[in-house]
Amino acid sequence: MSKNGLLIDYQYCTGCQSCELACKNEHDFPLDKWGIKVVEFGPFEMEEGKLEWNYLPFPTSYCDMCEDRVNTGGIPTCALHCLANVIEWGPVEELSKKLDEKGSKAVIFLP
Amino acid sequence: MTMMLGSAYIELDFNGGSLDVWDDPEWTRPDYVFCLGKEPLKSNPDGLWGHALIEIMKRGSKLIMVDPRVNWLATRADQVLQIIPGTDGALCLAILNVLINEDLIDHEFVDKWCYGFDELAERVQEYTPEFAAETCGITADEIRVCARKLGFDGEHHWSLLMGVAVDQNPNGCQVTQCLIAMAAITGNLDVPGGTVVGVQMQFEMTGATDFMSDELKNKCIGWDTYPIVKVLLNTTHPDITLEALETGRPYELKMAWLDSTNLLSPTCSAQPKRWHDALMKMEFTVAKEMFMTPTVMALADVVLPLATWAEHDGIVMTNQGCQMGIAGAINKGLQVGECKSDLEMLIHFGNAFYEKAYGEEYPFKTVEEYLTDDVGKMDTTWEELSEKVVATNDIGGYRKHERGLIRADGQPGFQTTPGRVELWSTGYQSLGDDPLPYYFPPKLGAEARPDLAKEYPFMCTTGARYFASFHSEHRQIPSLRQLTPEPYLEIHPEAAEKLGIKTGDEVTIENPWGSAHEIAKVTPVVRKDVVAAAHGWWYPEEDGEEPNLYGVWKSNVNSLIPHRVLGKMGFGAPYKQVPVKVYRTPNEERVLG
């Protein structure tokens, strides 16, 4: 049975950081501890007139895939609160199919 | 919008009346979204659900973004028009020029529903793409390519996302005219995939002066100079009100009621220090507030403690062109001290001060009565809504003008004198302005003020939003302050290098009207000749007493904005187009961190 992972579509992660706060609230983390943290890549002008700029929510060592929530029928709180609906979770096998369909600018994390 | 269409508002169609939103088979996504004047993800203005745009883009809609800053959203756009601040009017007139001259027009809609097309067509001839390109700092090709995407072809549609940057511009009334004209003549008003036209609001917010005597109404400050504030907004004119406060003419003001404002912070006032000094003269000032702010600290004699959203029953609505399609119940979760909600206080004081108005128009003695009445318009009761949490509301669907849903008399058409979309505005003419749109260079820009341009070479824009805060709010919430801990001044790498400025340096932003300190962020997102300053900053962790007032004067970018630089009708201040110079703050002058 494959593990659960997080599929992130970073074409559309807007960097809103809602996942960070939802996770901290869920796990009662102090200010300087994150279960997931948005990384900003850019903006870099690698070619004139064009900006390379992505946001990526990056699960940390403290991500437990919201085990308690999931065991009572819920979904990970980052995925629930994501404003852009770019976080999906589930068995890696299923996520891999979706990654393939998405085709680009996506990543699967196994925290 | 009110002038040209008689509508309360226009907005992106995100299917705000349906709980299925973009999965609703009745909804069509726009082929293009033309966004000028807002970055909806962070600002969600007036109840727009900003991230709806992401869902729409995921489903194939293409974005055209007009902004002096290439924000993140622009990197996902099909086309970006990175114009010099304040030149939006030239761009939009040139787009109209191309649409009309290349005949990309919905003639059926124009013939049936527009007024003044021939006059508009003649007016836009002088605004060629070449003129606009030179004015805006972009290319004529880009303008033509953009216009052709928006053109009518009988098949494709586009939706307009128009924002407050249009208002924060002395030329803004004309920019609005152009944007609505662009939507109208290409057949994109109130059609699937187009721009929603909102009818007059079902949930009333104005009307306070209906019960005032003529004698009292005629005392409203600024109504004779700028009658548009009487016609549209039912307020006094702010700039003239400041002058009244300072001079005692036409009469002295004695009392201030501060509501939903932190005006001494760099938000809604130009020259906040002048407002501070003027309001200090009041005999009695009341504020209602949740948090202590510099404004309350400086000015209020009495503070009414305000409940937060979790502390009172209420309704939240989506806003799609002032069409409140979905209502959600807030069920009071807790009582904190003696805090009361806005609604409780307004009903209480309204009944005490305005017996007639509150007796006849708003006969509500309690919040429950008000909510019941409001919710009754959606065919449900407050009890039902608070249980089921969400209710929807019929917001009229598309082509409302054909079905008599826009005009107050129920006839087909728009709520204007000719009953059509006024491309030639009778309203503007009656208020002393040109009935057709026109462009003028930014009033404080290099062309109009070469005397300023030499010493103040950057055009400074302000007001770009952050996820972590709303204007001057949230600086005191630790988890939000952590996300955006300090005010950033965005400056282009080439400009920064010339000035010896690096990311993290404290910098002084200065012009003849004031100065402000921020932290430099060297970034390619701004034009080389533009800097973008953060607004709303004050420091709740600092001493709140006078003269420090939580450091409200340290990063007060509104000090850089001159008083009373307006459009002809009295709207539009240069919040996003002030000339400034920037330099690394000498060590002995540093005030931040």
Side-chain angles (χ1 to χ4, degrees), chain A:
Chain A
M1 194 170 81
S2 72
K3 282 180 153 179
N4 282 332
L6 292 172
L7 167 65
I8 317 281
D9 169 4
Y10 64 87
Q11 172 71 15
Y12 288 117
C13 171
T14 63
C16 77
Q17 297 175 283
S18 298
C19 53
E20 293 186 15
L21 292 175
C23 176
K24 281 187 190 187
N25 283 346
E26 178 69 27
H27 294 89
D28 230 343
F29 286 159
L31 270 187
D32 51 7
K33 188 169 171 183
W34 287 261
I36 190 164
K37 194 173 198 294
V38 176
V39 171
E40 183 178 26
F41 182 87
F44 301 125
E45 198 168 10
M46 297 182 179
E47 181 189 316
E48 202 194 321
K50 213 167 178 272
L51 291 184
E52 184 76 21
W53 199 347
N54 292 309
Y55 290 107
L56 184 66
F58 205 114
T60 71
S61 307
Y62 301 100
C63 170
D64 67 351
M65 293 289 289
C66 275
E67 208 179 326
D68 290 347
R69 291 179 62 87
V70 168
N71 287 341
T72 53
I75 72 170
T77 193
C78 56
L80 179 66
H81 286 96
C82 175
L83 297 184
N85 275 321
V86 297
I87 303 180
E88 282 189 71
W89 78 287
V92 169
E93 270 172 16
E94 283 176 32
L95 295 184
S96 296
K97 293 190 193 114
K98 294 186 180 178
L99 184 77
D100 216 5
E101 269 167 39
K102 174 76 176 44
S104 67
K105 302 253 191 284
V107 66
I108 297 178
F109 280 109
L110 271 182

Side-chain angles (χ1 to χ4, degrees), chain B residues 11-145:
Chain B
E11 189 55 274
L12 173 74
D13 177 12
F14 63 95
N15 206 18
S18 163
L19 292 170
D20 295 323
V21 275
W22 29 81
D23 292 327
D24 184 343
E26 299 283 303
W27 177 78
T28 311
R29 61 149 186 78
D31 297 288
Y32 285 101
V33 176
F34 183 83
C35 186
L36 187 152
K38 63 188 174 200
E39 199 279 62
L41 304 178
K42 298 183 181 72
S43 62
N44 297 283
D46 299 327
L48 167 71
W49 167 232
H51 275 72
L53 181 58
I54 295 293
E55 297 300 326
I56 291 172
M57 287 167 71
K58 282 185 196 173
R59 287 159 175 77
S61 293
K62 293 184 183 170
L63 178 65
I64 302 169
M65 197 92 183
V66 180
D67 201 315
R69 292 170 74 239
V70 178
N71 50 50
W72 173 88
L73 185 58
T75 65
R76 269 59 180 164
D78 177 74
Q79 188 177 9
V80 180
L81 297 164
Q82 197 176 2
I83 59 174
I84 292 167
T87 62
D88 314 50
L91 171 68
C92 294
L93 284 158
I95 290 175
L96 285 167
N97 173 298
V98 175
L99 289 171
I100 290 171
N101 289 346
E102 295 189 12
D103 199 26
L104 304 170
I105 306 297
D106 180 354
H107 287 284
E108 199 189 318
F109 185 85
V110 167
D111 292 343
K112 199 162 180 205
W113 296 113
C114 292
Y115 174 82
F117 178 79
D118 292 339
E119 289 78 2
L120 177 69
E122 194 186 325
R123 167 58 60 88
V124 303
Q125 291 312 308
E126 67 182 275
Y127 297 106
T128 60
E130 284 68 27
F131 166 79
E134 166 97 40
T135 302
C136 303
I138 57 175
T139 68
D141 258 352
E142 289 176 80
I143 297 172
R144 289 197 165 86
V145 162

Side-chain angles (χ1 to χ4, degrees), chain B residues 148-362:
Chain B
R148 287 165 192 157
K149 289 172 181 167
L150 305 177
F152 174 75
D153 64 1
E155 197 188 322
H156 296 99
H157 287 285
W158 63 275
S159 192
L160 174 65
L161 261 181
M162 177 176 82
V164 82
V166 174
D167 303 314
Q168 290 174 323
N169 178 353
N171 198 200
C173 287
Q174 286 68 42
V175 176
T176 313
Q177 269 185 301
C178 290
L179 291 169
I180 295 175
M182 281 160 56
I185 69 178
T186 59
N188 281 296
L189 282 181
D190 226 25
V191 297
T195 302
V196 167
V197 173
V199 297
Q200 290 308 315
M201 295 192 281
Q202 303 155 286
F203 301 94
E204 281 255 29
M205 277 158 44
T206 58
T209 52
D210 290 352
F211 302 93
M212 286 167 69
S213 65
D214 281 339
E215 187 209 340
L216 206 52
K217 273 191 220 182
N218 291 333
K219 290 182 91 173
C220 284
I221 295 170
W223 279 20
D224 43 2
T225 315
Y226 297 123
I228 198 168
V229 286
K230 167 172 67 170
V231 169
L232 274 191
L233 293 180
N234 235 356
T235 68
T236 64
H237 190 280
D239 296 70
I240 302 184
T241 303
L242 176 61
E243 291 166 19
L245 286 166
E246 289 176 332
T247 64
R249 293 192 299 272
Y251 51 82
E252 278 186 14
L253 292 158
K254 305 282 192 181
M255 179 195 165
W257 176 291
L258 304 175
D259 204 301
S260 316
T261 182
N262 188 7
L263 78 153
L264 299 189
S265 74
T267 50
C268 57
S269 57
Q271 295 304 298
K273 278 201 187 111
R274 284 175 65 175
W275 282 93
H276 168 273
D277 296 346
L279 286 168
M280 287 294 272
K281 300 198 284 183
M282 296 298 98
E283 288 179 11
F284 183 56
T285 299
V286 181
K288 60 169 159 72
E289 250 299 352
M290 278 173 213
F291 291 98
M292 183 51 73
T293 67
T295 301
V296 171
M297 190 58 127
L299 303 176
D301 297 294
V302 168
V303 185
L304 303 172
L306 187 61
T308 68
W309 56 269
E311 299 162 38
H312 67 90
D313 288 335
I315 308 171
V316 177
M317 306 192 206
T318 54
N319 181 332
Q320 183 182 263
C322 278
Q323 308 306 284
M324 281 61 165
I326 297 175
I330 311 172
N331 292 311
K332 177 169 172 168
L334 70 162
Q335 174 70 37
V336 176
E338 294 174 293
C339 292
K340 295 194 186 301
S341 67
D342 281 298
L343 208 45
E344 282 182 273
M345 292 204 224
L346 289 170
I347 288 173
H348 174 85
F349 287 104
N351 278 290
F353 297 159
Y354 304 115
E355 217 182 290
K356 189 157 188 251
Y358 274 71
E360 292 178 29
E361 181 74 6
Y362 305 117

